[in-house]
DNA sequence: CAGATATGAATGAATG
DNA sequence: CATTCATTCATATCTG
């Protein structure tokens, strides 16, 4: 897939873009599966620090990773939803809504809102009616009005500073990492099976036996928090 | 060029990539010639549905096709332009920019006043004037610490801020108006009205002086500084 | 078959 | 957060 190169830049020169290592990807995905979507600045820092053990990485990489991953995940999901409706409208085949096809998540099935894995998740129930008008999205997705949770979490209301505490935990065992196991434990990870990769982005070794992310059909999981998409999908083919 | 075979994969096995049929290519190119560059989700849907009659195809294929085609067209053009200027600088031959078969290649930076292909065209990002102070993105850019008056120095402009594009519009519309509607509309996809002018971002103009640094730039860390953290293991599960 | 080229696919990085 | 662009990887096809 995108690999090929085995070396992450690491060198300031050239300025090639970040090339995540497998471990980094794994950890990031793990966090994502646990519900983390839009890490705060602090979280980004922590994650970055943690991932740095596996190769050069900067905060912005983590930031972008989450942004992209989330967006693309959503696109996939939308696509399926859309495809579903398409079928529903066109064909007469009674199919079920696509949003239940939790293929690969080892053990996360997008549990209810109060899932343990939501530590990182920004689902603060805090009031904070900062429902400030959000941007205007003229193009796609005219909806989006429910998820104001995105903003509040950033504010880090002192009342919910529990999120800040995390910081400690992460920094705590920072230099004792020897195994991945340990590493993962630092994070909210808690899964029984170590995230053993839902994706094999190795270099050169194109293991064809795996999905390889045929693109937008690898893993799907509901956002669990918002995302009530209207269905306007991007890849509405299928 | 690969136009040789006309077999579409059809076989999900092996995970072969989509191999467009001639008809599909023709139609796609036609649409492209008509000015379509970045189809919206809806358009992708329609196109996909339409092209499916000629072989297996998914929305993402259409999406990628346009992405790639546009990019490569642009790249090609850039080269030509470059070559042109090279000649211009070296030789004294008064030649005009290479105007190849690319019917419409409105640069995406300068607004094509009346480009022929504007039906689908997504216009370039016009340098919108700062209309009025609008809301700032409070979301991103998690201010690292409001009450922390010690480490404010980290903000060093992120080395990102890369601006690669500006070479394109060099020769923007030297022939504008010479348009010709191609008459190739294989199938109408809202030929006229759809042009997503949705891109009217005229109101969102926040002062360009604003920091572009996406949050993550908070490369600093105040680690154990704050102390006083009670330390709850939010990560370790409830 | 090797090398070159064309192009599908994926994803990091921005931008607004 | 949606959208777009640049790059790179992977593979198909062509060519000699």
């Amino acid at each position: 897939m995108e690999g090929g190169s085995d070396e992450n830049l690491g060198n300031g020169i050239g300025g090639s873009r970040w090339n995540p290592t497998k471990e980094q990807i794994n950890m990031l995905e793990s966090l994502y599966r646990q519900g983390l979507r839009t890490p705060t600045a602090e979280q980004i820092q922590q994650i970055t620090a943690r991932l740095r053990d596996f190769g050069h990485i900067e905060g912005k990489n983590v930031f972008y990773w989450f942004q992209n991953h989330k967006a693309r995940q959503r696109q996939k999901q939308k696509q399926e939803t859309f495809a579903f409706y398409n079928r529903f409208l066109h064909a007469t085949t009674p199919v079920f809504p696509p949003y239940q096809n939790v293929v690969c998540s080892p053990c996360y099935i997008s549990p209810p809102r109060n899932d343990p894995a939501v530590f990182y998740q920004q689902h603060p129930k805090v009031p904070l009616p900062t429902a400030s008008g959000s941007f205007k999205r003229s193009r796609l997705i005219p909806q989006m009005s429910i998820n104001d949770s995105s903003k509040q979490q950033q504010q880090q209301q002192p009342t919910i500073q529990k999120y800040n505490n995390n910081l400690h935990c992460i920094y705590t065992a920072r230099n004792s990492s020897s195994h991945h196991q340990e590493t993962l434990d630092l994070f909210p990870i808690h899964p029984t099976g170590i995230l053993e990769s839902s994706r094999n982005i190795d270099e050169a070794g194109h293991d064809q036996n795996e999905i390889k992310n045929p693109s937008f059909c690898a893993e799907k999981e509901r956002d669990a928090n918002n995302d009530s998409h209207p269905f306007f999908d991007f890849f509405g083919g299928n």
Side-chain angles (χ1 to χ4, degrees), chain A:
Chain A
M1 190 185 273
E2 108 278 316
S5 347
D6 39 43
E7 81 311 273
N8 34 16
L9 48 163
N11 44 31
I13 61 173
S16 11
R17 67 185 196 179
W18 171 58
N19 205 3
T21 66
K22 199 173 175 185
E23 291 91 344
Q24 289 174 330
I25 292 291
N26 283 340
M27 295 178 89
L28 287 169
E29 288 185 338
S30 172
L31 287 170
Y32 187 87
R33 278 196 298 275
Q34 289 174 58
L36 184 57
R37 291 288 180 282
T38 315
T40 65
E42 278 92 347
Q43 290 175 316
I44 287 176
Q45 287 310 302
Q46 299 163 42
I47 297 169
T48 301
R50 205 57 211 85
L51 295 182
R52 185 123 49 207
D53 292 342
F54 299 98
H56 174 92
I57 188 174
E58 295 175 54
K60 70 172 189 176
N61 301 132
V62 172
F63 172 81
Y64 282 138
W65 191 90
F66 276 96
Q67 287 279 265
N68 285 320
H69 198 68
K70 179 176 178 180
R72 281 158 183 155
Q73 218 58 37
R74 172 179 301 199
Q75 283 186 119
K76 267 193 302 193
Q77 193 244 315
K78 272 192 192 168
Q79 182 214 207
E80 307 193 352
T81 299
F82 200 48
F84 161 67
Y85 282 110
N86 251 3
R87 289 250 280 264
F88 186 64
L89 292 173
H90 291 252
T92 55
T93 310
V95 289
F96 292 94
Y99 46 74
Q100 46 73 13
N101 46 5
V102 264
V103 276
C104 38
S105 298
C107 53
Y108 297 100
I109 311 208
S110 179
R113 286 66 194 152
N114 46 12
D115 177 274
V118 193
F119 322 123
Y120 249 143
Q121 175 66 340
Q122 57 253 15
H123 70 323
K125 284 302 187 183
V126 294
L128 192 64
T130 316
S132 54
S134 48
F135 329 54
K136 68 189 233 142
R137 34 216 84 235
S138 40
R139 200 197 171 90
L140 306 176
I141 315 185
Q143 93 303 30
M144 284 327 195
S145 51
I146 38 178
N147 48 353
D148 34 298
S149 61
S150 52
K151 296 177 179 51
Q152 48 196 39
Q153 64 116 40
Q154 216 56 39
Q155 290 311 326
Q156 298 283 358
Q157 282 299 349
T159 57
I160 50 173
Q161 29 180 264
K162 52 179 173 184
Y163 286 75
N164 290 329
N165 296 338
N166 307 347
L167 197 124
H168 253 333
C169 306
I170 288 201
Y171 281 166
T172 301
R174 163 117 186 230
N175 46 19
S176 59
S177 60
S178 301
H179 325 138
H180 296 182
Q181 179 66 56
E182 193 172 319
T183 297
L184 293 174
D185 283 338
L186 289 174
F187 285 137
I189 290 182
H190 196 111
T192 55
I194 309 304
L195 51 139
E196 53 132 291
S197 81
S198 53
R199 151 188 196 149
N200 260 327
I201 49 102
D202 60 85
E203 60 288 69
H206 42 28
D207 60 321
Q208 67 299 348
N209 74 0
E210 174 38 292
I211 37 186
K212 223 161 156 113
N213 275 345
S215 65
F216 314 85
C217 24
E219 68 173 351
K220 57 261 316 187
E221 50 186 293
R222 307 259 327 136
D223 235 17
N225 55 349
N226 44 34
D227 226 314
S228 69
H229 54 293
F231 63 75
F232 223 118
D233 116 285
F234 218 74
F235 304 94
N238 211 16

